[in-house]
Amino acid sequence: MFGTFLIGRCARGAGAATLFCAALLVADAAHAARHGASHARRAASHAATPALDAQAIDNAQFSAPSGKGRARAPSAATIIKEEILLDRADFSPGEIDGLAGSNDKKALAAFQQANGLKPTGRLDAQTWDRLTATSSEPALMEYEIQPADVKGPFNKTIPQSFEKKAELKTLNYTSPRELLAQKFHVAPALLTRLNPKASFETAGTKIVVPNVARKPSHDRVAEVVVDKSALTVRALDANGKLISFYPASVGSEARPSPSGTWHVRSVVENPTYHYSPKLKFKGVKTQKPFDIAAGPMNPVGTTWIGLGDDYGIHGTPNPQSIGRTQSHGCVHLTNWDAQALAKMVHRGTKVEFIN
């Protein structure tokens, strides 16, 4: 086993009540190697194909097999359109990457179940018809890069060492491309593929991005269900209706997430990360407490939903890791999903851990 251990607490600011967070990213080496190799093969396949454009994705369709023929795998354009539609319908596939990975399948299964369809997690004609009926807006849109997108400040790199992180005044994105990718819920590699000739560092540049603007939800979540086996988070209303779905990373066998019923105690935007030496973090040599500045590349991302006793639901600086790594007890979501959930919960919202 190998991993990066993130253990500490998040504080709103000087004089504020301290919030605790435990976040351990652990991945099985063999699994990581297999996933990396698979991802590399798919990325290489993408690199060998022509660049995608807005028209190809907006016009993408699902082709059902004729007769008894075997269904063809959906095209990259179809998968991208599907992921965008799922995201807009509040069934998050995590990072939009056009690769039909495990998070995409989980979101698709949740959408199917919510719409009275068999939750196979596989795209079929009936699911495609129901999904495309959720929105008539184009899947992609043109976006003009704004001065604020390129102004920064940006961090040249984010060090792995916690002591080195603590030396930084901010933990911002490392480039405008990274900022834009998270802004539009898309993998940086796919953003580049959609805009092969664009300069992401230049304000005024027009680029093509996923049209993922979600309408503000007026629904207040009555219950959040964290499924530790399925690696998912579901937000339900008072009638038990599914409002939002998110893929997640949860605790490991050695450092499990809690069980049973908990409640939201606090919501903190842009939290600071505090390390205490009593936690004996692997690789941290200092015996003095220290803070890691707030920012989207902070160990807990941009949002902290505190549950008490060191546990919380929070963002991550590594959206591609969601559902593929394990935590030290906390629940990890992408930054944008954590932000969306935080807007719908309140102090006292029930959080149920199952399986």
Side-chain angles (χ1 to χ4, degrees):
M1 299 294 290
F2 71 98
T4 301
F5 294 75
L6 310 180
I7 307 174
R9 59 188 182 183
C10 308
R12 186 187 301 272
T18 301
L19 304 172
F20 290 88
C21 166
L24 164 67
L25 301 180
V26 180
D28 179 85
H31 171 76
R34 289 194 301 270
H35 176 268
S38 175
H39 192 280
R41 286 194 297 270
R42 287 183 291 179
S45 175
H46 278 193
T49 59
L52 292 168
D53 58 30
Q55 184 176 3
I57 294 173
D58 283 331
N59 293 338
Q61 297 296 325
F62 175 79
S63 299
S66 58
K68 296 182 179 180
R70 179 178 295 181
R72 292 183 178 180
S75 67
T78 297
I79 295 170
I80 293 168
K81 184 174 181 179
E82 173 223 302
E83 289 181 316
I84 293 170
L85 290 171
L86 284 170
D87 185 291
R88 277 209 307 246
D90 292 323
F91 291 83
S92 173
E95 202 176 48
I96 295 168
D97 57 13
L99 298 177
S102 60
N103 289 338
D104 173 70
K105 293 175 181 177
K106 292 175 188 176
L108 195 59
F111 177 84
Q112 290 169 328
Q113 187 171 35
N115 284 272
L117 304 175
K118 186 177 181 179
T120 63
R122 296 189 301 271
L123 191 61
D124 55 43
Q126 193 175 12
T127 303
W128 180 257
D129 289 343
R130 193 69 60 87
L131 187 57
T132 54
T134 61
S135 177
S136 60
E137 297 181 11
L140 297 179
M141 67 179 188
E142 184 177 79
Y143 176 76
E144 183 174 319
I145 297 176
Q146 300 298 301
D149 296 327
V150 300
K151 181 180 180 181
F154 297 101
N155 291 83
K156 291 184 178 180
T157 59
I158 302 295
Q160 292 295 318
S161 164
F162 264 36
E163 288 100 331
K164 292 294 183 182
K165 281 185 173 74
E167 294 175 5
L168 302 177
K169 294 182 179 179
T170 59
L171 275 89
N172 292 319
Y173 299 107
T174 59
S175 68
R177 186 183 78 142
E178 190 171 52
L179 179 153
L180 290 164
Q182 290 215 22
K183 188 172 187 175
F184 295 104
H185 311 177
V186 62
L190 180 55
L191 181 63
T192 296
R193 189 180 175 204
L194 293 171
N195 302 277
K197 298 181 181 180
S199 170
F200 299 110
E201 289 76 26
T202 305
T205 300
K206 294 181 179 179
I207 59 175
V208 174
V209 297
N211 184 7
V212 292
R214 300 174 181 173
K215 295 180 180 179
S217 175
H218 299 290
D219 294 316
R220 174 159 284 198
V221 170
E223 181 179 3
V224 175
V225 178
V226 180
D227 190 320
K228 297 187 289 184
S229 296
L231 303 180
T232 63
V233 171
R234 296 170 183 260
L236 311 176
D237 68 11
N239 297 316
K241 180 183 177 182
L242 181 62
I243 297 174
S244 295
F245 169 90
Y246 313 104
S249 291
V250 300
S252 65
E253 184 176 345
R255 301 283 187 171
S257 295
S259 297
T261 302
W262 296 67
H263 295 86
V264 172
R265 292 191 176 184
S266 61
V267 175
V268 180
E269 295 295 336
N270 210 31
T272 296
Y273 187 93
H274 180 79
Y275 177 79
S276 172
K278 69 179 182 180
L279 297 169
K280 299 180 180 180
F281 184 80
K282 184 178 180 180
V284 178
K285 298 178 180 179
T286 182
Q287 295 302 309
K288 295 181 179 180
F290 58 82
D291 291 338
I292 296 178
M297 305 306 283
N298 177 288
V300 293
T302 59
T303 306
W304 166 263
I305 302 172
L307 306 178
D309 291 348
D310 298 3
Y311 296 114
I313 302 172
H314 61 77
T316 175
N318 303 302
Q320 73 283 356
S321 72
I322 294 299
R324 300 186 179 104
T325 57
Q326 296 173 308
S327 77
H328 198 169
C330 285
V331 180
H332 298 187
L333 306 178
T334 65
N335 277 337
W336 55 88
D337 286 342
Q339 290 168 3
L341 181 61
K343 291 177 181 178
M344 295 188 290
V345 299
H346 57 91
R347 184 178 176 86
T349 298
K350 180 181 177 182
V351 179
E352 191 77 22
F353 287 82
I354 63 174
N355 295 333

